[in-house]
Amino acid sequence: MTETGSMAKCTYLSGEATMPRTTQLRTYTVRDGLLDEWVERWRQEIVPLRLELGFEIGGSWVDRERNQFIWLISYEGPKSFAERNADYWASPQREQMNLNPDDYLVRTDDRVVESVA
């Protein structure tokens, strides 16, 4: 997984440097029989913490035929996406979830995407 914007210039908002916006398209193949449970835990536990940490969720979808969960996540702020993502994983709130993605996901595909519109 790579991150865009590592060579791009920072912008300044309110006098504070802001890293370029990074958006990831994430596709997760979920274990048989756990798609709905994964979606519920994602909505109730993951999304609120992501939003609290400054991430934006651009949408989420399920592909029931392939047992996949697809979502867009973006971040633009004083840290890089990778740094802020590390903050998410290291947070006490994330630890308290007692949610191991390996219990639900058999494959993940995270791609950095750029808007063309």
Side-chain angles (χ1 to χ4, degrees):
M1 176 171 66
T2 60
E3 184 176 339
T4 61
S6 60
M7 300 292 285
K9 292 192 309 185
C10 294
T11 57
Y12 289 87
L13 300 173
S14 303
E16 184 176 311
T18 302
M19 296 299 291
R21 176 188 252 348
T22 299
T23 300
Q24 288 185 350
L25 172 65
R26 295 182 169 192
T27 304
Y28 299 162
T29 303
V30 180
R31 295 185 188 284
D32 287 341
L34 295 179
L35 185 59
D36 291 330
E37 184 178 332
W38 168 257
V39 169
E40 188 60 27
R41 292 202 70 183
W42 178 83
R43 280 184 187 146
Q44 297 298 319
E45 299 175 57
I46 295 171
V47 170
L49 180 55
R50 288 287 188 175
L51 295 176
E52 181 181 319
L53 292 173
F55 290 94
E56 296 176 20
I57 308 300
S60 61
W61 304 266
V62 292
D63 178 345
R64 292 194 183 278
E65 185 176 313
R66 292 178 181 85
N67 218 42
Q68 291 183 325
F69 175 75
I70 302 111
W71 61 302
L72 283 172
I73 181 171
S74 300
Y75 177 75
E76 180 178 21
K79 294 184 174 185
S80 70
F81 187 99
E83 291 168 328
R84 199 58 172 154
N85 197 50
D87 291 346
Y88 164 80
W89 283 102
S91 71
Q93 299 97 316
R94 178 62 183 87
E95 188 174 323
Q96 290 171 2
M97 285 180 201
N98 195 26
L99 172 61
N100 182 347
D102 291 339
D103 292 342
Y104 291 89
L105 310 179
V106 293
R107 182 172 181 267
T108 62
D109 180 28
D110 300 345
R111 300 175 184 211
V112 174
V113 294
E114 298 175 11
S115 176
V116 294

